[in-house]
């Protein structure tokens, strides 16, 4: 039985902790804040409640696997999952609207043809066929297996070039995919919105980001009753049942090293905690920036991590009046000029509102982390955009609460929101390997392989636990 210290209580870190505890190890989690969950937070006031991180779950199979492997208990015994249908209502800049069904390619093609004109659905369907090829080429090495010792092959663009012979030219960015292959500004805006929702600027994102709409439209979008914070609570309780210990308000200042190996951590108060292995769920850039992990071995050994330069602004809206009968759970309001879309989440969930005569609405937008803005004024624009999807929003508004990148930094340790791992782009969007350059120290969570996104964080925890349980780097265990 090894002594394992886990830094941070985000979902990826807790997933790793639960799996390691089931394997018989003694696991203690040190969280710098007062509660678990990391980016999956909750804001509550006056009977209203809002998710302050992700609002929908994709690839729920990751958490089904976690709960079965850590207790032989179905995920649905702990949380109530429902598919969101339609998956989203898209409101384009020219006023066109289209409701896209959940996980139905034929339904999506038909809906796009009806709203945007004959041929639009076929072009989108052809694009998804190429996106599937990119998915099939990268799914296993990016999501299911440890990062290869030589990740160079993943630096090559997996998205296939359309056409044949001399007309077969590679497309380098997602924005070019939209312009060249979709040939309708509204279809291009639809594609761009998927990139922005994961923190990528489509002008810079590689063509391989095509896997993002493919993943959502193939595997669907799911809502957790009570909000995604309920899922974080369920993972936390699973850890407790597996006898994982949690210590809150306990920042880790240093990873202790002896003979070239991680041997524990030093807490902010000076206390040293010995460990055979250390698993960090904290943002990898912050670990090096704040010198929690030393750089003495040279910058060449500092792992790569995604620096997208983007974060999110979230506006929580408390509304008077009931939700209208034809309202949808998610609406995406597109802007002109290639600006990020605004996402409006309106779950029909009694747990999030004081009564049936009120509604809790969450509005989010991707933003650049620099330069800083006047966030209240920026939120005004977001609310104005949301009004295109929520009838009478201004008249119904009781109050609002604005969360900025600084709130993200306070909750997670980094203002940026990490994007999912993508192939191509010369390898710059491959996150840190789960095995750090320091033996005995592992990385889990959104900033590590295969991090980014709620489901991927769970995958990261599984990979880290597998590396340790299977005997990787046990030479120093005591």
């Amino acid at each position: 039985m090894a002594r394992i210290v886990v830094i941070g209580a985000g979902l990826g870190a807790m997933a790793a902790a639960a799996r390691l505890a089931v394997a018989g190890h003694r696991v203690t989690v040190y969280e710098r804040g007062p509660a678990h969950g990391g980016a999956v937070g909750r804001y509550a006031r006056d009977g209203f409640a809002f998710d302050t991180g992700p609002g929908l779950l994709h690839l729920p199979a990751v958490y089904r696997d976690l709960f079965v492997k850590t207790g032989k208990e179905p995920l649905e015994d702990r949380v109530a999952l429902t598919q969101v249908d339609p998956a989203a209502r898209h409101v384009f800049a020219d006023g066109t609207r289209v409701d896209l069904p959940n996980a139905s390619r034929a339904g999506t093609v038909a809906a796009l043809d009806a709203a945007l004109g004959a041929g639009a659905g076929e072009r989108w369907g052809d694009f998804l066929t190429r996106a599937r090829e990119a998915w099939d080429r990268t799914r296993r090495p990016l999501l299911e297996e440890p990062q290869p010792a030589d990740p160079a092959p993943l630096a090559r663009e997996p998205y296939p070039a359309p056409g044949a012979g001399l007309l077969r030219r590679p497309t380098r960015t997602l924005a070019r995919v939209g312009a060249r292959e979709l040939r309708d500004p509204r279809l291009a805006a639809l594609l761009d919105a998927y990139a922005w929702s994961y923190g990528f600027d489509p002008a810079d994102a590689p063509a391989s980001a095509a896997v993002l709409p493919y993943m959502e439209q193939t595997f669907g979008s799911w809502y957790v009753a009570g909000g995604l914070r309920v899922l974080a609570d369920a993972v936390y309780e699973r850890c407790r049942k597996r006898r994982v210990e949690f210590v809150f308000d306990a920042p880790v200042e240093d990873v202790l090293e002896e003979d070239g190996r991680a041997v524990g951590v030093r807490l902010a108060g000076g206390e040293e905690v010995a460990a055979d292995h250390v698993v960090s769920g904290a943002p990898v850039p912050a670990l090096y920036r704040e010198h929690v992990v030393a750089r003495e071995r040279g910058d060449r050994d500092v792992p790569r991590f995604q620096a997208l330069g983007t974060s999110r602004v979230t506006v929580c809206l408390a509304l008077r009046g009931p939700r209208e009968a034809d309202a949808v759970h998610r609406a995406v309001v597109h802007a002109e000029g290639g600006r990020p879309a605004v996402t409006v989440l309106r779950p029909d969930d009694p747990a999030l509102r004081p009564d049936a005569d009120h509604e809790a609405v969450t509005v989010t937008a991707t933003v650049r982390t620099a330069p800083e803005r006047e966030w209240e004024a920026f939120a005004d624009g977001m609310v104005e955009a949301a009004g295109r999807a929520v009838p009478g929003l201004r008249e119904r508004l009781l109050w609002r609460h604005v969360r900025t990148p600084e709130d993200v930094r306070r909750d997670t340790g980094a203002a940026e929101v990490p994007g999912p791992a993508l192939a191509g782009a010369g390898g710059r969007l491959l996150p840190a390997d789960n095995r750090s350059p320091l033996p005995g120290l592992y990385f889990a969570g959104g900033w590590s392989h295969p991090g980014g996104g709620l489901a991927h964080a769970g995958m990261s925890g599984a990979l880290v636990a597998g590396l340790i349980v299977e005997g990787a780097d046990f030479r120093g265990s005591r």
Side-chain angles (χ1 to χ4, degrees):
M1 178 178 69
R3 297 170 297 174
I4 298 176
V5 162
V6 176
I7 302 173
L11 276 178
M14 290 196 295
R19 290 178 181 271
L20 289 166
V22 166
H25 302 299
R26 191 168 74 234
V27 184
T28 304
V29 177
Y30 292 91
E31 164 58 44
R32 67 177 194 157
H36 62 277
V40 185
R42 167 66 53 92
Y43 178 77
R45 171 182 162 188
D46 300 340
F48 295 89
F50 309 84
D51 281 325
T52 58
L56 294 174
L57 178 63
H58 308 292
L59 299 177
V62 174
Y63 288 93
R64 290 190 178 109
D65 181 73
L66 172 67
F67 276 78
V68 169
K69 297 289 179 58
T70 60
K72 299 181 180 179
E73 180 182 21
L75 172 65
E76 281 82 356
D77 283 359
R78 305 303 307 163
V79 301
L81 286 175
T82 56
Q83 282 192 303
V84 175
D85 202 4
R89 172 173 294 164
H90 288 266
V91 182
F92 295 102
D94 67 354
T96 305
R97 297 184 175 218
V98 58
D99 288 357
L100 298 184
N102 196 338
S104 171
R105 179 164 172 172
T108 295
V109 168
L112 290 173
D113 275 341
L116 308 185
E122 181 181 2
R123 291 196 298 277
W124 184 261
D126 290 344
F127 156 73
L128 286 183
T129 296
R130 293 186 287 274
R132 177 178 179 175
E133 188 171 334
W135 170 264
D136 290 341
R137 290 174 176 176
T138 59
R139 173 179 56 86
R140 289 182 64 85
L142 280 185
L143 299 180
E144 299 176 4
E145 300 170 345
Q147 194 173 93
D150 178 14
L154 290 173
R156 295 193 289 268
E157 177 57 63
Y159 183 78
L166 294 177
L167 297 178
R168 189 175 177 85
R169 296 172 296 158
T171 308
R172 300 299 182 189
T173 69
L174 197 68
R176 287 296 300 155
V177 170
R180 178 183 173 190
E181 301 175 25
L182 299 179
R183 303 192 305 278
D184 183 314
R186 294 163 299 184
L187 285 179
L190 174 62
L191 178 58
D192 288 353
Y194 282 99
W196 282 118
S197 69
Y198 286 92
F200 296 103
D201 183 335
D204 299 328
S208 64
V211 301
L212 302 176
Y214 171 80
M215 180 184 69
E216 285 200 22
Q217 293 194 7
T218 300
F219 302 109
S221 301
W222 301 75
Y223 177 67
V224 177
L228 274 176
R229 179 65 191 182
V230 173
L231 176 62
D233 292 342
V235 175
Y236 172 70
E237 290 301 328
R238 174 50 48 88
C239 286
R240 293 295 302 272
K241 287 184 178 180
R242 301 284 78 83
R243 298 186 179 180
V244 175
E245 296 184 13
F246 285 81
V247 182
F248 295 104
D249 296 312
V252 171
E253 285 194 339
D254 292 292
V255 172
L256 302 177
E257 181 180 339
E258 183 179 302
D259 298 328
R261 177 185 174 81
V263 294
V265 298
R266 180 182 296 111
L267 305 181
E271 178 186 356
E272 294 188 355
V273 181
D276 298 306
H277 304 275
V278 177
V279 176
S280 177
V284 176
L287 292 174
Y288 286 89
R289 183 180 63 246
E290 298 171 11
H291 305 289
V292 175
V293 178
R295 288 177 178 259
E296 277 77 5
R297 280 170 298 283
D299 286 348
R300 62 183 175 81
D301 289 327
V302 175
R304 69 174 67 85
F305 40 77
Q306 305 165 72
L308 300 181
T310 58
S311 187
R312 291 194 179 96
V313 173
T314 301
V315 185
C316 306
L317 303 176
L319 304 185
R320 64 170 64 87
R323 186 175 185 267
E324 67 269 19
D326 64 345
V328 297
H329 189 116
R330 174 170 58 169
V332 180
V333 182
H334 297 265
E336 295 180 340
R339 299 193 308 276
V342 169
T343 299
V344 183
L345 295 181
R346 307 178 64 189
D348 187 10
D349 189 340
L352 304 184
R353 60 190 183 228
D355 53 52
D357 291 324
H358 294 83
E359 183 182 6
V361 175
T362 305
V363 184
T364 61
T366 295
V367 295
R368 294 287 183 184
T369 52
E372 289 193 7
R373 313 184 189 191
E374 210 300 304
W375 295 118
E376 289 293 335
F378 185 81
D380 288 342
M382 292 174 61
V383 173
E384 181 179 355
R388 296 171 57 199
V390 183
L393 189 153
R394 285 287 186 184
E395 294 74 23
R396 297 177 58 197
L397 183 61
L398 291 170
W399 52 260
R400 78 183 191 189
H401 173 71
V402 179
R403 289 178 51 84
T404 74
E406 280 307 307
D407 295 301
V408 176
R409 183 193 302 276
R410 184 195 64 231
D411 292 345
T412 68
E416 287 190 346
V417 177
L422 291 179
R428 66 181 173 86
L429 298 178
L430 298 177
D433 194 341
N434 302 118
R435 297 157 292 203
S436 85
L438 178 63
L441 172 64
Y442 299 84
F443 297 136
W447 291 91
S448 62
H449 176 79
L454 189 66
H456 295 168
M459 294 178 184
S460 178
L463 286 168
V464 168
L467 289 171
I468 296 176
V469 169
E470 291 170 14
D473 198 22
F474 257 83
R475 296 183 300 277
S477 296
R478 296 183 290 265

